């Protein structure tokens, strides 16, 4: 797992001053005023990186990038990085070499914003480390807890109740009657009677328009012309004298001559 971890860059500051600091005289902390701030012992570039859960403060040459010293940090705040009591731009770090030797040196930034970025980059990294540790711890505790078995045991069954398909009296539900138009009609209530629709009486207009032909007389004296006249003429014409019915076309000519000639009405239209 350590071989698969890659190194990421957290912060880069181009100007940093390095100081040799005297040993700590008491437990009251380091003071930057005790250093020779006007004459730094080394000046270069600072780069903060991380690999896994460990952060590294690397002091490198500005031009060639050659490593001057580095300080591995396992926790922050801690003994590997400490702030001074009289300034926010200076820190004390513990550098180590490959042989296991270590020393404490002082570093300082000219700009106060660079010191702030350096401090925040270390805080964010170790905040992430804390969250990862808590997540891995919770996952390990979840693996050790007994798992809840929700499977069916041998011979175990369940019963499902899907709706109530019976009526209140326990009988089967009555099907609905489907009408001719495709609409489902409800059946009539029990004990009720279906009233027949009333038949409308025939209208007087239909009775007036319907003319019943008179009965045909079976007398041998009546000719075929009289039979046709009885069918064509109205009932009142049958009472006319026999002499008037001898001419079959007389009624038609009389009817046409009886209509008075109507004078043409004057029109307001001008004829062109």
């Amino acid at each position: 797992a350590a071989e698969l971890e890659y190194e990421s860059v957290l912060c880069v500051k181009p100007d940093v001053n390095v100081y040799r600091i005297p040993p700590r005289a008491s437990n009251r902390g380091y003071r930057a005023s005790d250093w020779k701030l006007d004459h730094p012992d080394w000046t270069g570039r600072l780069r903060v990186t991380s690999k896994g859960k460990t952060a590294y403060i690397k002091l490198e040459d500005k031009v060639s990038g050659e490593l001057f010293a580095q300080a591995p940090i396992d926790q922050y705040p801690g003994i590997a990085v400490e702030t001074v009591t009289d300034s926010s731009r200076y820190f004390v770090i513990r550098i180590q070499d490959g042989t296991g030797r270590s020393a404490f040196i002082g570093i300082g930034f000219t700009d106060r914003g660079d010191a702030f970025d350096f401090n925040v980059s270390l805080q964010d990294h170790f905040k992430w480390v804390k969250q990862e540790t808590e997540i891995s711890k919770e996952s390990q505790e979840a693996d050790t807890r007994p798992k809840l078995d929700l499977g069916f045991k041998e011979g175990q069954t369940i019963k499902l109740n899907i709706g109530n398909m019976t009526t209140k009296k326990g009988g089967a539900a009555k099907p609905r009657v489907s009408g001719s138009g495709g609409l489902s009609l409800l059946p009539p209530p029990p004990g009720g009677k279906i009233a027949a629709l009333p038949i409308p009486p025939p209208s007087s207009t239909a009775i007036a328009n319907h003319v019943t032909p008179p009965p045909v007389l079976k007398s041998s004296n009546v000719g075929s012309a009289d039979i046709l006249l009885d069918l064509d003429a109205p009932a009142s014409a049958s009472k006319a004298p026999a002499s008037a019915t001898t001419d079959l076309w007389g009624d038609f000519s009389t009817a046409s001559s009886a209509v008075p000639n109507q004078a043409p009405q004057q029109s307001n239209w001008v004829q062109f």
Side-chain angles (χ1 to χ4, degrees), residues 245-261:
T245 60
T246 56
D247 190 2
L248 297 177
W249 303 100
D251 295 338
F252 291 98
S253 59
T254 305
S256 60
S257 61
V259 179
N261 294 330

Side-chain angles (χ1 to χ4, degrees), residues 143-226:
D143 294 337
T144 56
R145 294 173 185 172
K147 296 182 179 180
L148 182 61
D149 186 10
L150 299 178
F152 287 99
K153 306 298 186 294
E154 184 178 357
Q156 185 179 6
T157 58
I158 60 174
K159 183 179 179 181
L160 298 177
N161 185 11
I162 305 176
N164 187 8
M165 303 301 294
T166 60
T167 58
K168 295 181 179 179
K169 296 182 179 180
K174 295 182 180 180
R176 293 185 177 182
V177 181
S178 177
S180 60
L183 300 175
S184 60
L185 302 177
L186 294 176
K193 295 182 180 180
I194 300 176
L197 296 176
I199 300 175
S203 60
S204 60
T205 305
I207 297 175
N209 294 334
H210 179 69
V211 178
T212 304
V216 179
L217 299 176
K218 296 182 180 181
S219 176
S220 59
N221 297 329
V222 181
S224 59
D226 295 334

